[in-house]
Amino acid sequence: MPRVRALVLLALALAGCDGSKPLIKNEPDKPGPFPAADRPVAHIVSSRWSNEDARDRLREADTVMDRANIRPGMTVADIGAGEGYYTVRLAARVGPEGRVLAEDIMADTRDSLAERVARERLDNVSVRLGEPADPKLPDNSFDRVLMVHMYHEIAQPYEFLWRLFPSLRKDGLVVVVDAKRATRDHGTPPALLKCEFEAVGFEQVAMMEMPSAGGYLATFRAVGPRPEPEAIRPCRMQQGSE
């Protein structure tokens, strides 16, 4: 009888390995739960927030790309690309040997940007629709990931950054440009930004004043290992005060 019982147990164990049932409770594409952000979230008001010519007169994009050390041949993601102010300038900066992936979560905005990319024959640019908590970036693909005046609109920053984490190449950087004000007022206090990134395994590399872009520029690198979602400790509002 003990031998029969052992054979039955072995058969059940093998049945669990036949691929019909997951061996891990949380599938890779459905991790979590993630902690909630202890801060207000700014509403998306428009894909256009100022005239492109006015921004160019301040050398906004050139200054951001210079300080982010974006060079020919790089692969760059433009998250929250909107109408493509940065996308078209990134395409020129990285050149024909580089690549730009422009992502937005609004389907109409994505479509308008795709039309602009086709019209201007930006052959080194691709356009993608992302999700509010997932930028949908391929792993180990980017030298730089830009998020310009959009971080305060992310309602689930821990899940968003957790999913973004593996998309960086070795020595890749996330570049955030935002204003020094509360998230409800379309900005992110620098201390809060640093805290939320560090909670997911990033390390702040630099924090620079950026008056031409309305605030500051911060860069982060993934130092890993990426924490399990349940191990992430959320930042509190007082930790993000300036």
Side-chain angles (χ1 to χ4, degrees), residues 99-163:
R99 296 290 300 170
V100 176
L101 187 151
E103 181 262 24
D104 205 277
I105 64 170
M106 308 295 289
D108 290 347
T109 300
R110 184 274 315 268
D111 293 344
S112 295
L113 179 54
E115 291 174 4
R116 179 177 185 178
V117 166
R119 184 172 63 251
E120 299 188 21
R121 298 183 178 181
L122 303 177
D123 296 332
N124 60 348
V125 175
S126 56
V127 181
R128 174 174 297 190
L129 185 68
E131 296 179 358
D134 187 354
K136 298 287 187 179
L137 301 181
D139 290 355
N140 192 31
S141 298
F142 297 96
D143 301 295
R144 299 289 185 271
V145 175
L146 262 66
M147 295 192 286
V148 180
H149 292 290
M150 58 76 64
Y151 185 82
H152 49 264
E153 297 172 354
I154 300 173
Q156 297 166 284
Y158 303 108
E159 181 175 359
F160 185 93
L161 294 175
W162 191 89
R163 291 181 180 278

Side-chain angles (χ1 to χ4, degrees), residues 156-232:
Q156 297 166 284
Y158 303 108
E159 181 175 359
F160 185 93
L161 294 175
W162 191 89
R163 291 181 180 278
L164 183 151
F165 190 101
S167 70
L168 292 173
R169 290 175 174 167
K170 182 181 179 181
D171 300 323
L173 296 174
V174 179
V175 181
V176 178
V177 176
D178 216 336
K180 287 185 178 180
R181 51 177 178 255
T183 53
R184 64 175 174 272
D185 298 323
H186 293 270
T188 308
L192 178 61
L193 180 77
K194 182 174 184 287
C195 182
E196 290 184 347
F197 267 81
E198 288 181 347
V200 186
F202 288 89
E203 176 183 75
Q204 183 171 294
V205 176
M207 172 69 69
M208 296 169 267
E209 296 294 323
M210 189 64 61
S212 64
Y216 62 83
L217 180 149
T219 57
F220 298 87
R221 63 186 168 203
V223 294
R226 183 177 61 169
E228 293 298 324
E230 59 270 19
I232 297 172

Side-chain angles (χ1 to χ4, degrees), residues 59-71 93 208 210 217:
R59 298 193 71 253
E60 177 190 330
D62 284 339
T63 303
V64 168
M65 291 188 293
D66 288 346
R67 294 193 179 183
N69 196 23
I70 295 174
R71 306 182 302 276
R93 176 66 66 98
M208 296 169 267
M210 189 64 61
L217 180 149

